[in-house]
């Protein structure tokens, strides 16, 4: 099912067919868009009968039990019945123990409800069926209370012992609900198609602080009982909690950062531009609808670069490079406050509406705040990653809006949603002009605010508001090509960067021995240019030359996690053994999947080190997140199947 590392079948998709043309003449696109066979908007990944009942409010009252690695307490769901003869509510759960289920009547009286679990599905978890008792069969507003307990196996929760935190003294808990993990810490309708408001009371050990994707109070008394409210309706994948020895430092009037005290000063420095980012984003995309915007820096095992939990983005500590060079991740998570959190993909199959739009808005923010040159560099690096994915991802999954029935929303599309989505929107901006496209963006976010949308609804909206309003620029068929065909259409604008071109030229000259390493002005370069330089080196370089390069540029000792990732992938691919010890340190220092998995994969594929990759992973997996481990295991499995 995993498409990411499908190295066994090198798809015969010719990269050469991606031309560098910027022609957008309508009809210039000869190949017809494929027929769309699946335009359903139901959620492939939820059991919930949302056509019969919809949740409007969730009330949580939970105890955080570090000793037993469990949350326990109650979830109270206020639901509306929309199917007139519906009597059975179906909720999503995974690895949750239900203690009791009842309906709270308007009198306050509790009515016990019959409930049962259905069959467990490997990806979707276990449906929970709840019967409406006869006494309330005619009610349209229902309050369902579920007393429950999570399992230590909850896929959303990571319970970290003190050794895996910065301070080494207190345990830490954090959640990751996207895509379909909320159901492993709360029984609920776990689909982005339903939006809920929530309140929560969280009981923790008194010395720890709880924060949520809600109205965090930086001045909350640290007494082990924390109250939260999220007054704006959000999809379930944005429910989030973290508990630990967490402190706060302000950045600007509406922005700040939470982290363990050991990282607080470095975090406030690294993310000092967050207030400016917020203000710039508001000026460009319309009002920020969520009150404050804060950041939470997690322990190293946080599996992603960032997660856009509303009001409180969760971030990997690997962004703390000391020079603000990796803050595009903050621009990205902030931009989700519009694309994703305000206007949400209806199903995970439409994920490009979240991630593609967000990558585009991230690029727009980077242009304004850090200048065109840096934005160009990052755009080109992302494009190169997209090309790599086109080589390995099944063509059917290269569509922005693919047709599929099965699979796991955690692992099917690599960076296609992100960077192909970005290029699609850059193409529209270029073709209609920035002013026209900006007006479209503003209307889109206000017309769909606090709503959900699928790819076909987007196509219709785009057609009505842009294509038809400015005829002869882009045809509906051309847009369908973007949405439903593999690869990139001919009209895509191929990113370019002067700085990165220079770095690539230097890499070629040095590789051929035409210049000395001292002639490469790398100390004037951005970390992005260093990465491009490393990726542009010739295939066959001797160990001595690689060691010389490593020494001159300090690659093995870099404090920039992305440079480390790029370098150690090369070290593994080229079997550059003098740097293997540092490679191992890299694998132990970081937990973000993006930083470690490709290094294991490069080792496993280099023809001699699959066994070493397995051993290193066996030693290190205890410090990674379960999702990271699943992802590395599945990469190894695919490589084995491919006989690597
Ligand atoms: N929402 C995603 C993270 C995510 C995606 C979690 C899919 C679970 C399933 C987040 O906004 C994201 O895209 N993070 C990227 C940041 C990068 C593209 C700037 C990451 O973690 O690499
Ligand atoms: Zn994202």
């Amino acid at each position: 099912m995993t498409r990411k590392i499908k190295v066994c079948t090198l798809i015969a998709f010719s990269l050469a067919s991606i031309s560098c043309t910027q022609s957008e003449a309508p009809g210039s696109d000869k190949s017809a868009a494929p027929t769309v066979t699946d335009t359903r908007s139901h959620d492939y990944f939820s059991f919930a009968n949302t056509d019969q009942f919809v949740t409007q409010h969730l009330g949580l009252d939970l105890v955080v039990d570090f000793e037993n690695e469990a949350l326990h307490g109650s979830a109270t769901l206020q639901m509306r019945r929309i199917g007139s003869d519906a009597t059975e509510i179906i909720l999503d759960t995974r690895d949750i123990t239900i203690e009791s289920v009842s309906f709270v009547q308007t009198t306050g009286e509790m009515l016990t409800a019959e409930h049962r679990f259905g069959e467990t599905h490997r990806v979707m978890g276990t449906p929970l069926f709840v019967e409406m008792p006869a006494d309330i069969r005619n009610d349209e507003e229902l309050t369902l209370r579920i007393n429950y307990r999570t399992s230590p196996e909850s896929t959303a929760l990571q319970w970290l012992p003190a050794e895996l935190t910065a301070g080494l003294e207190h345990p830490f808990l954090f959640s990751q609900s996207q895509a379909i993990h909320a159901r492993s810490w709360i029984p609920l309708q776990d689909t982005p198609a339903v939006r809920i408001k929530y309140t929560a009371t969280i009981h923790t050990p008194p010395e720890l602080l709880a924060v949520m994707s809600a109205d965090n109070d930086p001045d909350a008394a640290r007494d082990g009982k924390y109250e939260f409210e999220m007054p704006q309706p959000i999809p379930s994948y944005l429910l989030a909690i973290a508990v630990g020895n967490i402190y706060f430092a302000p950045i600007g009037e509406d922005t700040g950062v939470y982290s363990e005290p050991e990282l607080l000063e470095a975090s406030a420095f690294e993310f000092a531009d967050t207030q400016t980012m917020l203000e710039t984003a508001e000026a460009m995309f319309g009002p920020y609808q969520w009150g404050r915007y804060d950041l939470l820096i997690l322990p190293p095992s946080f599996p992603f670069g960032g997660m856009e939990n509303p009001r409180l983005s969760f971030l990997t500590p690997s962004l703390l490079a000391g020079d603000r060079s990796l803050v595009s991740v903050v621009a990205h998570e902030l931009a989700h406050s519009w694309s994703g959190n305000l206007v949400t993909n209806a199903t995970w199959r439409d994920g490009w509406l979240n991630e593609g739009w967000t990558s585009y808005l991230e690029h727009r923010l980077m242009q304004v705040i850090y200048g065109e040159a840096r934005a160009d560099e990052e755009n080109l690096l992302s494009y190169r990653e997209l090309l790599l994915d086109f080589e390995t991802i099944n063509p059917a999954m290269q569509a922005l809006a693919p047709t599929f029935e099965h699979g796991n929303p955690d692992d099917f599309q690599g960076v296609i949603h992100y960077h192909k989505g970005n290029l699609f929107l850059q193409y529209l901006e270029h073709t209609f002009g920035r002013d026209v496209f900006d007006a479209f963006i503003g209307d889109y976010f206000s017309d769909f605010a606090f709503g959900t949308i699928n790819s076909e609804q987007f196509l219709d909206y785009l057609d009505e508001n842009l294509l038809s309003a400015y005829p002869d620029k882009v045809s509906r068929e051309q847009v369908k090509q973007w949405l439903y065909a593999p690869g990139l259409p001919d009209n895509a604008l191929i990113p370019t960067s002067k700085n990165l071109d220079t770095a690539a030229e230097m890499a070629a000259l040095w590789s051929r021995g035409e210049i000395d390493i001292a002639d490469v002005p790398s100390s004037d370069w951005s970390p992005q240019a260093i990465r491009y330089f490393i990726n542009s080196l010739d295939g066959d370089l001797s160990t001595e030359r690689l060691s010389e390069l490593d020494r001159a540029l300090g690659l093995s000792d870099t404090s920039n996690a992305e440079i480390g990732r790029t370098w150690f992938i090369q070290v593994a691919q080229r079997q550059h053994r003098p740097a293997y010890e540092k490679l191992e340190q890299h694998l132990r220092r970081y937990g973000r999947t993006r930083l470690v998995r490709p290094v294991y994969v490069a080792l496993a594929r280099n023809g001699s080190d699959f066994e070493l990759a397995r051993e290193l992973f066996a030693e290190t997996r205890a410090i990674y997140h379960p999702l990271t481990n699943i992802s590395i295991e599945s990469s190894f499995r695919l490589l084995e199947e491919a006989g690597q």
Side-chain angles (χ1 to χ4, degrees):
M1 238 71 82
T2 300
R3 314 288 184 187
K4 277 178 181 164
I5 313 289
K6 208 156 191 190
V7 284
C8 39
T9 42
L10 257 189
I11 308 305
F13 174 74
S14 160
L15 296 181
S17 74
I18 298 169
S19 75
C20 296
T21 161
Q22 298 207 344
S23 103
E24 304 86 30
S28 68
D29 225 328
K30 302 278 181 320
S31 46
T35 323
V36 186
T37 53
D38 192 339
T39 57
R40 295 177 309 165
S41 62
H42 84 252
D43 190 336
Y44 301 83
F45 299 115
S46 170
F47 289 112
N49 51 342
T50 53
D51 52 340
Q52 302 194 303
F53 297 92
V54 282
T55 314
Q56 291 169 321
H57 187 276
L58 164 71
L60 290 172
D61 191 330
L62 294 173
V63 173
V64 181
D65 178 354
F66 278 99
E67 206 176 314
N68 295 301
E69 301 192 341
L71 298 176
H72 61 87
S74 64
T76 304
L77 300 169
Q78 284 173 19
M79 306 183 90
R80 232 185 117 72
R81 190 182 62 178
I82 51 176
S84 56
D85 50 3
T87 59
E88 188 177 57
I89 300 169
I90 311 173
L91 299 178
D92 294 298
T93 76
R94 185 189 290 126
D95 296 325
I96 278 183
T97 307
I98 305 289
E99 278 149 13
S100 62
V101 180
S102 46
F103 286 90
V104 188
Q105 292 183 281
T106 34
T107 56
E109 228 175 290
M110 308 287 278
L111 261 183
T112 306
E114 298 267 325
H115 64 278
R116 66 187 165 86
F117 279 125
E119 218 174 286
T120 297
H121 180 275
R122 192 178 55 82
V123 174
M124 298 203 337
T126 316
L128 172 66
F129 298 88
V130 178
E131 266 303 316
M132 281 173 70
D135 292 15
I136 56 163
R137 279 274 156 91
N138 295 325
D139 290 5
E140 280 178 3
E141 305 287 336
L142 306 164
T143 304
L144 176 62
R145 175 151 314 147
I146 304 176
N147 289 308
Y148 72 101
R149 157 181 295 275
T150 65
S151 136
E153 272 71 58
S154 162
T155 51
L157 303 177
Q158 194 179 20
W159 299 87
L160 290 171
E163 309 86 85
L164 298 181
T165 66
L168 305 169
E169 259 181 52
H170 301 276
F172 203 107
L173 162 72
F174 68 85
S175 67
Q176 169 56 42
S177 297
Q178 195 185 2
I180 55 170
H181 302 288
R183 65 191 66 177
S184 75
W185 67 287
I186 307 166
L188 79 181
Q189 297 184 309
D190 195 9
T191 165
V194 172
R195 302 181 87 91
I196 48 174
K197 299 177 180 179
Y198 78 89
T199 50
T201 304
I202 305 293
H203 309 268
T204 72
E207 66 280 14
L208 303 183
L209 179 71
V211 288
M212 292 191 82
S213 51
D215 62 340
N216 296 292
D217 174 7
D219 302 317
R222 298 174 79 91
D223 57 4
K225 185 176 177 205
Y226 304 99
E227 308 273 357
F228 300 94
E229 182 180 8
M230 172 42 98
Q232 289 92 6
I234 59 164
S236 57
Y237 75 92
L238 296 176
L239 287 159
I241 185 169
V243 178
N245 188 34
I246 297 171
Y247 284 81
F248 176 80
I251 292 175
E253 207 183 322
D254 317 297
T255 50
V257 60
Y258 290 87
S259 78
E260 289 186 70
E262 292 77 7
L263 300 179
L264 206 50
E265 205 183 318
S267 303
F269 172 83
E270 201 79 36
F271 306 118
D273 296 330
T274 307
Q275 180 74 27
T276 312
M277 278 188 189
L278 175 62
E279 288 165 13
T280 309
E282 276 209 279
M284 286 166 70
F285 317 141
Y288 177 77
Q289 305 264 16
W290 307 93
R292 291 188 58 82
Y293 180 68
D294 294 318
L295 308 171
L296 171 68
I297 314 307
L298 288 138
S301 65
F302 182 63
F304 298 106
M307 176 64 214
E308 65 272 26
N309 297 315
R311 294 176 179 226
L312 183 67
S313 287
F314 284 21
L315 295 177
T316 165
S318 67
L319 303 182
L320 297 170
D323 60 2
R324 301 180 185 159
S325 60
L326 301 178
V327 296
S328 61
V329 176
V330 179
H332 180 98
E333 304 315 332
L334 169 65
H336 270 304
S337 306
W338 287 264
S339 45
N341 300 6
L342 187 61
V343 179
T344 306
N345 55 205
T347 80
W348 296 114
R349 169 258 179 181
D350 304 296
W352 77 275
L353 288 165
N354 279 17
E355 297 302 345
W357 262 102
T358 299
S359 300
Y360 170 76
L361 300 183
E362 167 199 335
H363 178 71
R364 295 287 304 271
L365 284 175
M366 293 305 288
Q367 282 180 327
V368 174
I369 301 168
Y370 298 98
E372 297 275 348
R374 173 155 169 194
D376 285 351
E377 290 177 4
E378 296 189 350
N379 207 30
L380 178 51
L381 283 169
S382 300
Y383 170 68
R384 286 304 171 107
E385 290 185 16
L386 176 64
L387 294 188
L388 287 179
D389 272 2
F390 283 149
E391 287 181 35
T392 55
I393 289 178
N394 170 336
M397 296 309 287
Q398 294 181 15
L400 280 180
T403 301
F404 65 92
E405 288 290 338
H406 305 292
N408 185 334
D410 276 347
D411 65 8
F412 52 69
Q413 270 202 301
V415 295
I416 305 276
H417 275 159
Y418 290 79
H419 304 315
K420 183 170 170 180
N422 173 36
L423 290 182
F424 170 46
L425 297 165
Q426 288 183 352
Y427 156 70
L428 291 178
E429 179 203 312
H430 177 84
T431 310
F432 290 95
R434 185 165 276 190
D435 288 349
V436 169
F437 195 60
D438 279 356
F440 172 81
I441 296 176
D443 290 347
Y444 172 60
F445 288 137
S446 77
D447 287 349
F448 288 94
F450 297 107
T452 55
I453 179 167
N454 69 22
S455 303
E456 287 65 37
Q457 289 164 323
F458 181 80
L459 175 61
D460 288 343
Y461 182 83
L462 182 74
D463 201 347
E464 270 165 40
N465 294 280
L466 209 55
L467 311 189
S468 311
Y470 298 89
D472 301 331
K473 282 194 182 287
V474 178
S475 70
R476 194 176 163 101
E477 282 308 300
Q478 283 175 310
V479 173
K480 282 175 146 183
Q481 191 76 28
W482 278 96
L483 292 183
Y484 304 121
L488 285 178
D490 286 346
N491 54 26
L493 299 167
I494 305 308
T496 55
S497 154
K498 276 212 180 81
N499 294 347
L500 298 199
D501 284 351
T502 308
E505 279 160 28
M506 290 281 176
L509 290 173
W510 180 78
S511 297
R512 293 198 297 266
E514 290 172 25
I515 56 170
D516 284 342
I517 196 64
D519 301 329
V520 176
S522 58
S523 50
D524 300 338
W525 287 354
S526 65
Q528 286 74 8
I530 306 270
R531 283 161 61 191
Y532 205 72
F533 176 88
I534 297 169
N535 279 339
S536 307
L537 295 167
D538 273 5
D540 50 348
L541 290 171
S542 68
T543 302
E544 291 70 36
R545 301 212 68 213
L546 287 169
S547 290
E548 181 196 1
L549 179 72
D550 190 0
R551 269 195 309 278
L553 271 58
L555 298 177
S556 286
D557 291 318
T558 181
S559 53
N560 184 297
E562 288 285 345
I563 294 181
R565 172 186 190 269
T566 312
W567 170 240
F568 290 117
I569 290 173
Q570 290 295 320
V571 165
Q573 280 176 355
R574 296 166 185 267
Q575 299 185 36
H576 179 55
R577 295 188 191 279
Y580 271 26
E581 208 180 306
K582 290 286 163 82
L583 175 148
E584 288 182 30
Q585 284 172 18
H586 172 92
L587 295 176
R588 276 194 268 275
R589 176 172 175 186
Y590 300 113
R592 179 182 177 190
T593 313
R594 173 183 160 80
L595 297 176
V596 293
R597 190 193 51 194
V599 178
Y600 285 108
V601 169
L603 274 181
R605 292 184 64 186
N606 75 5
S608 358
D609 290 321
F610 204 158
E611 208 36 57
L612 175 65
R614 280 203 198 86
E615 277 165 27
L616 288 176
F617 178 53
E619 280 167 25
T620 320
R621 58 175 302 149
I623 64 174
Y624 296 149
H625 191 277
L627 291 177
T628 307
N629 287 333
I630 290 170
S631 159
I632 296 170
E633 279 160 12
S634 98
S635 300
F636 281 175
R637 203 172 36 249
L638 284 165
L639 288 168
E640 272 156 22
E641 281 164 17
Q644 296 258 333

